[in-house]
Amino acid sequence: DAKTTQPPSMDCAEGRAANLPCNHSTISGNEYVYWYRQIHSQGPQYIIHGLKNNETNEMASLIITEDRKSSTLILPHATLRDTAVYYCIVRAMDSNYQLIWGAGTKLIIKP
Amino acid sequence: DGGITQSPKYLFRKEGQNVTLSCEQNLNHDAMYWYRQDPGQGLRLIYYSQIVNDFQKGDIAEGYSVSREKKESFPLTVTSAQKNPTAFYLCASSILYGNSYEQYFGPGTRLTVT
């Protein structure tokens, strides 16, 4: 079973910041938080990952709470092309490289 | 361009027939993966391979078989023993070492069995 909980769907206005929450209250000390997204009928795309510090790249920012039990993915200026299902995944670096996928959050960007 | 290719994009088969899905990568990745996705659900791991001539079962391997004769190629065969083969199949690859194991995905093959 997936070790994360995400809302099934969210809306965001185009040009605004999209904040996607993820609950991972049972996360272990050696587990990273990964975010992927899947645009309809395409393969998932890696977005960002982090352990305990906040991370930023050209696509998004990842904010992880101090107790590491939850995190938020931020898309700073959402566009219509950001409409997708966003998956939050936790995995240990010493695992057998498997990712356990939940159902994700369907993010709809509205004009 | 480096990436993962899957073919065909759409595949139709009659019940009782085996079918092989192609996956090729030119990213020089050691690890490759096959996932199945049903409507409205996340991905479920079928098989993965970390090295040539070796592969491991995932959560839902029954009714599927794979081979890894070349680093670049990881074909998946959906056998007639798979009870509900109609699904979206995704292939992925990744590096094995380092502190980042992001998986790169192909475009997927949508298999319909009637």
Side-chain angles (χ1 to χ4, degrees), chain B residues 3 13 28 32 41 55 71 84 98:
Chain B
R13 281 293 183 271
N28 200 32
M32 296 187 74
Q41 299 186 26
F55 45 83
K71 186 176 184 178
N84 187 16

Side-chain angles (χ1 to χ4, degrees), chain A residues 3-80:
Chain A
K3 298 178 66 174
T4 61
T5 304
Q6 299 176 255
S9 64
M10 292 182 62
D11 293 343
C12 179
E14 187 179 18
R16 306 296 294 268
N19 296 276
L20 291 91
C22 180
N23 187 315
H24 32 80
S25 58
T26 61
I27 193 170
S28 301
N30 67 342
E31 288 182 319
Y32 285 67
V33 180
Y34 278 74
W35 283 85
Y36 284 76
R37 73 179 183 184
Q38 185 177 25
I39 295 170
H40 183 63
S41 293
Q42 297 182 23
Q45 175 191 23
Y46 164 82
I47 301 173
I48 199 167
H49 75 283
L51 183 61
K52 53 184 178 181
N53 297 323
N54 298 337
E55 302 288 343
T56 295
N57 63 21
E58 65 278 4
M59 289 183 67
S61 294
L62 174 60
I63 308 298
I64 303 174
T65 57
E66 193 168 339
D67 64 7
R68 302 206 328 119
K69 293 185 176 182
S70 65
S71 61
T72 301
L73 179 75
I74 302 172
L75 308 178
H77 305 286
T79 71
L80 298 178

